[in-house]
Amino acid sequence: MTGKTKFAIVIGMEFVMKEYAYIRVSTTDQNEGRQIDAIADLNLPKGNIYIDKLSGKNFNRPAYKFLTKKLKKGDLLYVKSIDRLGRNYVEIQEQWRILTKEKGVDVIVLDMPLLDTRRGKDLVGTFLADTVLAVLSFVAEKERDNIKQRQAEGIAAARLRGVHLGRPIKRSPENFAEVVKLWECSKIDIEEALLRTGLKQATFYNRLREHRSGKRK
């Protein structure tokens, strides 16, 4: 028997237990490599590893939703850390409940060996896992809040120092005033003006407003 497919006998019937891994990263500032490295030694089939890459505002996890539909009672799910299951305390707790209670899936959190639902299926083991989960999900949410707070403080401090944030400001080309004068005199059309300045139309008009505003000062 090869791979990570295992068999068990339940009331004289055979069923297949499959192992999966879930990875979630933000496309803005994270790379899935660290999480992939963490599960590399598990020898999971490539098709059993599900990855969601999300923007900061998007939490519609298509891969996770597809995975949860495939998971069957007795299957095993690996995640690198508990905050991969949700963005905050409530979401993490809810997904843990759905996976372990409703679907009957075992979950292993690689960063925290205590969160391995294969161990201690009795009342004490379940209580210990749920308690550790509650603490870790609370800590994960607090850390996320702290990161946001530090980012906000950093942005505020940068602005006070006069540091420009966001996309770099594209300056007008040196021939902009000359081209504008020709265009205003109808000696060239807007297409020619854009060609000579190398600007897009929206940018050209933005620079034109700034140019005219500067003249009035």
mmCIF file with all atom_site columns, all heavy atoms in Angstrom, residues 18 20 47-48 50 64-73 75 103 105:
data_model
loop_
_atom_site.group_PDB
_atom_site.id
_atom_site.type_symbol
_atom_site.label_atom_id
_atom_site.label_alt_id
_atom_site.label_comp_id
_atom_site.label_asym_id
_atom_site.label_entity_id
_atom_site.label_seq_id
_atom_site.pdbx_PDB_ins_code
_atom_site.Cartn_x
_atom_site.Cartn_y
_atom_site.Cartn_z
_atom_site.occupancy
_atom_site.B_iso_or_equiv
_atom_site.pdbx_formal_charge
_atom_site.auth_seq_id
_atom_site.auth_comp_id
_atom_site.auth_asym_id
_atom_site.auth_atom_id
_atom_site.pdbx_PDB_model_num
ATOM 1   N N   . LYS A 1 18  ? -8.476  9.273  3.972  1.00 0.00 ? 18  LYS A N   1
ATOM 2   C CA  . LYS A 1 18  ? -7.554  10.062 3.163  1.00 0.00 ? 18  LYS A CA  1
ATOM 3   C C   . LYS A 1 18  ? -6.984  11.218 3.972  1.00 0.00 ? 18  LYS A C   1
ATOM 4   O O   . LYS A 1 18  ? -7.641  11.723 4.885  1.00 0.00 ? 18  LYS A O   1
ATOM 5   C CB  . LYS A 1 18  ? -8.262  10.590 1.922  1.00 0.00 ? 18  LYS A CB  1
ATOM 6   C CG  . LYS A 1 18  ? -8.698  9.501  0.961  1.00 0.00 ? 18  LYS A CG  1
ATOM 7   C CD  . LYS A 1 18  ? -9.320  10.102 -0.289 1.00 0.00 ? 18  LYS A CD  1
ATOM 8   C CE  . LYS A 1 18  ? -9.710  9.003  -1.273 1.00 0.00 ? 18  LYS A CE  1
ATOM 9   N NZ  . LYS A 1 18  ? -10.326 9.566  -2.504 1.00 0.00 ? 18  LYS A NZ  1
ATOM 10  N N   . TYR A 1 20  ? -5.242  15.107 3.852  1.00 0.00 ? 20  TYR A N   1
ATOM 11  C CA  . TYR A 1 20  ? -5.214  16.331 3.067  1.00 0.00 ? 20  TYR A CA  1
ATOM 12  C C   . TYR A 1 20  ? -4.420  17.400 3.828  1.00 0.00 ? 20  TYR A C   1
ATOM 13  O O   . TYR A 1 20  ? -4.188  17.276 5.030  1.00 0.00 ? 20  TYR A O   1
ATOM 14  C CB  . TYR A 1 20  ? -6.629  16.861 2.814  1.00 0.00 ? 20  TYR A CB  1
ATOM 15  C CG  . TYR A 1 20  ? -7.532  15.928 2.051  1.00 0.00 ? 20  TYR A CG  1
ATOM 16  C CD1 . TYR A 1 20  ? -8.317  14.984 2.722  1.00 0.00 ? 20  TYR A CD1 1
ATOM 17  C CD2 . TYR A 1 20  ? -7.627  15.995 0.661  1.00 0.00 ? 20  TYR A CD2 1
ATOM 18  C CE1 . TYR A 1 20  ? -9.159  14.129 2.025  1.00 0.00 ? 20  TYR A CE1 1
ATOM 19  C CE2 . TYR A 1 20  ? -8.468  15.155 -0.047 1.00 0.00 ? 20  TYR A CE2 1
ATOM 20  C CZ  . TYR A 1 20  ? -9.232  14.224 0.639  1.00 0.00 ? 20  TYR A CZ  1
ATOM 21  O OH  . TYR A 1 20  ? -10.063 13.387 -0.063 1.00 0.00 ? 20  TYR A OH  1
ATOM 22  N N   . GLY A 1 47  ? -2.439  16.240 -5.365 1.00 0.00 ? 47  GLY A N   1
ATOM 23  C CA  . GLY A 1 47  ? -3.851  16.553 -5.526 1.00 0.00 ? 47  GLY A CA  1
ATOM 24  C C   . GLY A 1 47  ? -4.596  16.703 -4.216 1.00 0.00 ? 47  GLY A C   1
ATOM 25  O O   . GLY A 1 47  ? -5.749  17.157 -4.201 1.00 0.00 ? 47  GLY A O   1
ATOM 26  N N   . ASN A 1 48  ? -3.964  16.311 -3.098 1.00 0.00 ? 48  ASN A N   1
ATOM 27  C CA  . ASN A 1 48  ? -4.607  16.412 -1.788 1.00 0.00 ? 48  ASN A CA  1
ATOM 28  C C   . ASN A 1 48  ? -4.157  17.647 -1.008 1.00 0.00 ? 48  ASN A C   1
ATOM 29  O O   . ASN A 1 48  ? -4.451  17.781 0.176  1.00 0.00 ? 48  ASN A O   1
ATOM 30  C CB  . ASN A 1 48  ? -4.314  15.163 -0.951 1.00 0.00 ? 48  ASN A CB  1
ATOM 31  C CG  . ASN A 1 48  ? -5.093  13.958 -1.448 1.00 0.00 ? 48  ASN A CG  1
ATOM 32  O OD1 . ASN A 1 48  ? -5.652  13.982 -2.536 1.00 0.00 ? 48  ASN A OD1 1
ATOM 33  N ND2 . ASN A 1 48  ? -5.137  12.906 -0.656 1.00 0.00 ? 48  ASN A ND2 1
ATOM 34  N N   . TYR A 1 50  ? -4.472  21.639 -0.888 1.00 0.00 ? 50  TYR A N   1
ATOM 35  C CA  . TYR A 1 50  ? -5.332  22.715 -1.385 1.00 0.00 ? 50  TYR A CA  1
ATOM 36  C C   . TYR A 1 50  ? -4.784  24.065 -0.933 1.00 0.00 ? 50  TYR A C   1
ATOM 37  O O   . TYR A 1 50  ? -4.457  24.243 0.249  1.00 0.00 ? 50  TYR A O   1
ATOM 38  C CB  . TYR A 1 50  ? -6.763  22.529 -0.877 1.00 0.00 ? 50  TYR A CB  1
ATOM 39  C CG  . TYR A 1 50  ? -7.456  21.352 -1.535 1.00 0.00 ? 50  TYR A CG  1
ATOM 40  C CD1 . TYR A 1 50  ? -7.185  20.053 -1.127 1.00 0.00 ? 50  TYR A CD1 1
ATOM 41  C CD2 . TYR A 1 50  ? -8.354  21.544 -2.575 1.00 0.00 ? 50  TYR A CD2 1
ATOM 42  C CE1 . TYR A 1 50  ? -7.799  18.971 -1.739 1.00 0.00 ? 50  TYR A CE1 1
ATOM 43  C CE2 . TYR A 1 50  ? -8.982  20.466 -3.192 1.00 0.00 ? 50  TYR A CE2 1
ATOM 44  C CZ  . TYR A 1 50  ? -8.694  19.184 -2.770 1.00 0.00 ? 50  TYR A CZ  1
ATOM 45  O OH  . TYR A 1 50  ? -9.306  18.127 -3.385 1.00 0.00 ? 50  TYR A OH  1
ATOM 46  N N   . TYR A 1 64  ? -10.683 26.033 -0.108 1.00 0.00 ? 64  TYR A N   1
ATOM 47  C CA  . TYR A 1 64  ? -11.099 25.509 1.188  1.00 0.00 ? 64  TYR A CA  1
ATOM 48  C C   . TYR A 1 64  ? -12.525 24.968 1.125  1.00 0.00 ? 64  TYR A C   1
ATOM 49  O O   . TYR A 1 64  ? -12.830 23.901 1.670  1.00 0.00 ? 64  TYR A O   1
ATOM 50  C CB  . TYR A 1 64  ? -10.998 26.598 2.253  1.00 0.00 ? 64  TYR A CB  1
ATOM 51  C CG  . TYR A 1 64  ? -11.385 26.124 3.632  1.00 0.00 ? 64  TYR A CG  1
ATOM 52  C CD1 . TYR A 1 64  ? -10.517 25.341 4.381  1.00 0.00 ? 64  TYR A CD1 1
ATOM 53  C CD2 . TYR A 1 64  ? -12.617 26.457 4.195  1.00 0.00 ? 64  TYR A CD2 1
ATOM 54  C CE1 . TYR A 1 64  ? -10.862 24.890 5.645  1.00 0.00 ? 64  TYR A CE1 1
ATOM 55  C CE2 . TYR A 1 64  ? -12.980 26.019 5.455  1.00 0.00 ? 64  TYR A CE2 1
ATOM 56  C CZ  . TYR A 1 64  ? -12.096 25.233 6.182  1.00 0.00 ? 64  TYR A CZ  1
ATOM 57  O OH  . TYR A 1 64  ? -12.451 24.787 7.429  1.00 0.00 ? 64  TYR A OH  1
ATOM 58  N N   . LYS A 1 65  ? -13.402 25.698 0.441  1.00 0.00 ? 65  LYS A N   1
ATOM 59  C CA  . LYS A 1 65  ? -14.784 25.252 0.319  1.00 0.00 ? 65  LYS A CA  1
ATOM 60  C C   . LYS A 1 65  ? -14.872 23.934 -0.438 1.00 0.00 ? 65  LYS A C   1
ATOM 61  O O   . LYS A 1 65  ? -15.644 23.041 -0.079 1.00 0.00 ? 65  LYS A O   1
ATOM 62  C CB  . LYS A 1 65  ? -15.621 26.321 -0.378 1.00 0.00 ? 65  LYS A CB  1
ATOM 63  C CG  . LYS A 1 65  ? -15.843 27.570 0.468  1.00 0.00 ? 65  LYS A CG  1
ATOM 64  C CD  . LYS A 1 65  ? -16.659 28.599 -0.279 1.00 0.00 ? 65  LYS A CD  1
ATOM 65  C CE  . LYS A 1 65  ? -16.887 29.836 0.587  1.00 0.00 ? 65  LYS A CE  1
ATOM 66  N NZ  . LYS A 1 65  ? -17.679 30.871 -0.132 1.00 0.00 ? 65  LYS A NZ  1
ATOM 67  N N   . PHE A 1 66  ? -14.070 23.811 -1.496 1.00 0.00 ? 66  PHE A N   1
ATOM 68  C CA  . PHE A 1 66  ? -14.048 22.566 -2.267 1.00 0.00 ? 66  PHE A CA  1
ATOM 69  C C   . PHE A 1 66  ? -13.506 21.425 -1.419 1.00 0.00 ? 66  PHE A C   1
ATOM 70  O O   . PHE A 1 66  ? -14.025 20.302 -1.454 1.00 0.00 ? 66  PHE A O   1
ATOM 71  C CB  . PHE A 1 66  ? -13.203 22.757 -3.525 1.00 0.00 ? 66  PHE A CB  1
ATOM 72  C CG  . PHE A 1 66  ? -13.240 21.579 -4.460 1.00 0.00 ? 66  PHE A CG  1
ATOM 73  C CD1 . PHE A 1 66  ? -14.332 21.356 -5.272 1.00 0.00 ? 66  PHE A CD1 1
ATOM 74  C CD2 . PHE A 1 66  ? -12.166 20.702 -4.523 1.00 0.00 ? 66  PHE A CD2 1
ATOM 75  C CE1 . PHE A 1 66  ? -14.369 20.261 -6.129 1.00 0.00 ? 66  PHE A CE1 1
ATOM 76  C CE2 . PHE A 1 66  ? -12.199 19.612 -5.371 1.00 0.00 ? 66  PHE A CE2 1
ATOM 77  C CZ  . PHE A 1 66  ? -13.302 19.384 -6.176 1.00 0.00 ? 66  PHE A CZ  1
ATOM 78  N N   . LEU A 1 67  ? -12.468 21.718 -0.644 1.00 0.00 ? 67  LEU A N   1
ATOM 79  C CA  . LEU A 1 67  ? -11.871 20.703 0.213  1.00 0.00 ? 67  LEU A CA  1
ATOM 80  C C   . LEU A 1 67  ? -12.875 20.196 1.250  1.00 0.00 ? 67  LEU A C   1
ATOM 81  O O   . LEU A 1 67  ? -13.004 18.984 1.458  1.00 0.00 ? 67  LEU A O   1
ATOM 82  C CB  . LEU A 1 67  ? -10.637 21.276 0.913  1.00 0.00 ? 67  LEU A CB  1
ATOM 83  C CG  . LEU A 1 67  ? -10.022 20.424 2.035  1.00 0.00 ? 67  LEU A CG  1
ATOM 84  C CD1 . LEU A 1 67  ? -9.562  19.072 1.513  1.00 0.00 ? 67  LEU A CD1 1
ATOM 85  C CD2 . LEU A 1 67  ? -8.856  21.176 2.682  1.00 0.00 ? 67  LEU A CD2 1
ATOM 86  N N   . THR A 1 68  ? -13.568 21.109 1.913  1.00 0.00 ? 68  THR A N   1
ATOM 87  C CA  . THR A 1 68  ? -14.502 20.691 2.969  1.00 0.00 ? 68  THR A CA  1
ATOM 88  C C   . THR A 1 68  ? -15.647 19.833 2.417  1.00 0.00 ? 68  THR A C   1
ATOM 89  O O   . THR A 1 68  ? -16.200 18.995 3.139  1.00 0.00 ? 68  THR A O   1
ATOM 90  C CB  . THR A 1 68  ? -15.081 21.914 3.705  1.00 0.00 ? 68  THR A CB  1
ATOM 91  O OG1 . THR A 1 68  ? -15.653 22.829 2.759  1.00 0.00 ? 68  THR A OG1 1
ATOM 92  C CG2 . THR A 1 68  ? -13.996 22.628 4.495  1.00 0.00 ? 68  THR A CG2 1
ATOM 93  N N   . LYS A 1 69  ? -15.979 20.037 1.140  1.00 0.00 ? 69  LYS A N   1
ATOM 94  C CA  . LYS A 1 69  ? -17.008 19.184 0.528  1.00 0.00 ? 69  LYS A CA  1
ATOM 95  C C   . LYS A 1 69  ? -16.477 17.767 0.298  1.00 0.00 ? 69  LYS A C   1
ATOM 96  O O   . LYS A 1 69  ? -17.242 16.796 0.314  1.00 0.00 ? 69  LYS A O   1
ATOM 97  C CB  . LYS A 1 69  ? -17.473 19.794 -0.790 1.00 0.00 ? 69  LYS A CB  1
ATOM 98  C CG  . LYS A 1 69  ? -18.320 21.051 -0.633 1.00 0.00 ? 69  LYS A CG  1
ATOM 99  C CD  . LYS A 1 69  ? -18.731 21.612 -1.984 1.00 0.00 ? 69  LYS A CD  1
ATOM 100 C CE  . LYS A 1 69  ? -19.565 22.880 -1.811 1.00 0.00 ? 69  LYS A CE  1
ATOM 101 N NZ  . LYS A 1 69  ? -19.953 23.469 -3.122 1.00 0.00 ? 69  LYS A NZ  1
ATOM 102 N N   . LYS A 1 70  ? -15.182 17.639 0.074  1.00 0.00 ? 70  LYS A N   1
ATOM 103 C CA  . LYS A 1 70  ? -14.579 16.332 -0.177 1.00 0.00 ? 70  LYS A CA  1
ATOM 104 C C   . LYS A 1 70  ? -14.309 15.555 1.108  1.00 0.00 ? 70  LYS A C   1
ATOM 105 O O   . LYS A 1 70  ? -14.291 14.323 1.098  1.00 0.00 ? 70  LYS A O   1
ATOM 106 C CB  . LYS A 1 70  ? -13.261 16.489 -0.942 1.00 0.00 ? 70  LYS A CB  1
ATOM 107 C CG  . LYS A 1 70  ? -13.416 16.930 -2.382 1.00 0.00 ? 70  LYS A CG  1
ATOM 108 C CD  . LYS A 1 70  ? -12.099 16.784 -3.129 1.00 0.00 ? 70  LYS A CD  1
ATOM 109 C CE  . LYS A 1 70  ? -11.676 15.321 -3.244 1.00 0.00 ? 70  LYS A CE  1
ATOM 110 N NZ  . LYS A 1 70  ? -10.465 15.144 -4.082 1.00 0.00 ? 70  LYS A NZ  1
ATOM 111 N N   . LEU A 1 71  ? -14.065 16.283 2.194  1.00 0.00 ? 71  LEU A N   1
ATOM 112 C CA  . LEU A 1 71  ? -13.703 15.624 3.445  1.00 0.00 ? 71  LEU A CA  1
ATOM 113 C C   . LEU A 1 71  ? -14.823 14.713 3.941  1.00 0.00 ? 71  LEU A C   1
ATOM 114 O O   . LEU A 1 71  ? -15.990 15.096 3.977  1.00 0.00 ? 71  LEU A O   1
ATOM 115 C CB  . LEU A 1 71  ? -13.380 16.669 4.515  1.00 0.00 ? 71  LEU A CB  1
ATOM 116 C CG  . LEU A 1 71  ? -12.060 17.433 4.333  1.00 0.00 ? 71  LEU A CG  1
ATOM 117 C CD1 . LEU A 1 71  ? -12.003 18.609 5.283  1.00 0.00 ? 71  LEU A CD1 1
ATOM 118 C CD2 . LEU A 1 71  ? -10.864 16.509 4.540  1.00 0.00 ? 71  LEU A CD2 1
ATOM 119 N N   . LYS A 1 72  ? -14.425 13.506 4.329  1.00 0.00 ? 72  LYS A N   1
ATOM 120 C CA  . LYS A 1 72  ? -15.373 12.529 4.865  1.00 0.00 ? 72  LYS A CA  1
ATOM 121 C C   . LYS A 1 72  ? -14.987 12.182 6.306  1.00 0.00 ? 72  LYS A C   1
ATOM 122 O O   . LYS A 1 72  ? -13.858 12.393 6.730  1.00 0.00 ? 72  LYS A O   1
ATOM 123 C CB  . LYS A 1 72  ? -15.365 11.258 4.014  1.00 0.00 ? 72  LYS A CB  1
ATOM 124 C CG  . LYS A 1 72  ? -15.766 11.476 2.571  1.00 0.00 ? 72  LYS A CG  1
ATOM 125 C CD  . LYS A 1 72  ? -17.222 11.855 2.456  1.00 0.00 ? 72  LYS A CD  1
ATOM 126 C CE  . LYS A 1 72  ? -17.681 11.851 1.001  1.00 0.00 ? 72  LYS A CE  1
ATOM 127 N NZ  . LYS A 1 72  ? -16.996 12.850 0.171  1.00 0.00 ? 72  LYS A NZ  1
ATOM 128 N N   . LYS A 1 73  ? -15.933 11.630 7.035  1.00 0.00 ? 73  LYS A N   1
ATOM 129 C CA  . LYS A 1 73  ? -15.683 11.231 8.416  1.00 0.00 ? 73  LYS A CA  1
ATOM 130 C C   . LYS A 1 73  ? -14.505 10.273 8.473  1.00 0.00 ? 73  LYS A C   1
ATOM 131 O O   . LYS A 1 73  ? -14.432 9.309  7.708  1.00 0.00 ? 73  LYS A O   1
ATOM 132 C CB  . LYS A 1 73  ? -16.922 10.565 9.006  1.00 0.00 ? 73  LYS A CB  1
ATOM 133 C CG  . LYS A 1 73  ? -16.768 10.216 10.481 1.00 0.00 ? 73  LYS A CG  1
ATOM 134 C CD  . LYS A 1 73  ? -18.064 9.663  11.051 1.00 0.00 ? 73  LYS A CD  1
ATOM 135 C CE  . LYS A 1 73  ? -17.904 9.352  12.532 1.00 0.00 ? 73  LYS A CE  1
ATOM 136 N NZ  . LYS A 1 73  ? -19.171 8.825  13.115 1.00 0.00 ? 73  LYS A NZ  1
ATOM 137 N N   . ASP A 1 75  ? -11.382 11.197 7.784  1.00 0.00 ? 75  ASP A N   1
ATOM 138 C CA  . ASP A 1 75  ? -10.261 11.772 7.045  1.00 0.00 ? 75  ASP A CA  1
ATOM 139 C C   . ASP A 1 75  ? -9.407  12.624 7.981  1.00 0.00 ? 75  ASP A C   1
ATOM 140 O O   . ASP A 1 75  ? -9.831  12.999 9.082  1.00 0.00 ? 75  ASP A O   1
ATOM 141 C CB  . ASP A 1 75  ? -10.758 12.635 5.892  1.00 0.00 ? 75  ASP A CB  1
ATOM 142 C CG  . ASP A 1 75  ? -11.275 11.800 4.720  1.00 0.00 ? 75  ASP A CG  1
ATOM 143 O OD1 . ASP A 1 75  ? -10.990 10.594 4.682  1.00 0.00 ? 75  ASP A OD1 1
ATOM 144 O OD2 . ASP A 1 75  ? -11.973 12.358 3.856  1.00 0.00 ? 75  ASP A OD2 1
ATOM 145 N N   . LYS A 1 103 ? -18.342 17.177 10.680 1.00 0.00 ? 103 LYS A N   1
ATOM 146 C CA  . LYS A 1 103 ? -17.850 16.290 9.637  1.00 0.00 ? 103 LYS A CA  1
ATOM 147 C C   . LYS A 1 103 ? -17.073 15.089 10.180 1.00 0.00 ? 103 LYS A C   1
ATOM 148 O O   . LYS A 1 103 ? -16.824 14.133 9.445  1.00 0.00 ? 103 LYS A O   1
ATOM 149 C CB  . LYS A 1 103 ? -16.977 17.076 8.646  1.00 0.00 ? 103 LYS A CB  1
ATOM 150 C CG  . LYS A 1 103 ? -17.716 18.210 7.940  1.00 0.00 ? 103 LYS A CG  1
ATOM 151 C CD  . LYS A 1 103 ? -16.904 18.831 6.837  1.00 0.00 ? 103 LYS A CD  1
ATOM 152 C CE  . LYS A 1 103 ? -16.817 17.923 5.629  1.00 0.00 ? 103 LYS A CE  1
ATOM 153 N NZ  . LYS A 1 103 ? -18.102 17.750 4.924  1.00 0.00 ? 103 LYS A NZ  1
ATOM 154 N N   . VAL A 1 105 ? -13.916 14.968 11.066 1.00 0.00 ? 105 VAL A N   1
ATOM 155 C CA  . VAL A 1 105 ? -12.568 14.928 10.500 1.00 0.00 ? 105 VAL A CA  1
ATOM 156 C C   . VAL A 1 105 ? -11.539 15.135 11.606 1.00 0.00 ? 105 VAL A C   1
ATOM 157 O O   . VAL A 1 105 ? -11.751 15.928 12.520 1.00 0.00 ? 105 VAL A O   1
ATOM 158 C CB  . VAL A 1 105 ? -12.413 16.035 9.428  1.00 0.00 ? 105 VAL A CB  1
ATOM 159 C CG1 . VAL A 1 105 ? -10.985 16.119 8.931  1.00 0.00 ? 105 VAL A CG1 1
ATOM 160 C CG2 . VAL A 1 105 ? -13.377 15.786 8.275  1.00 0.00 ? 105 VAL A CG2 1
#
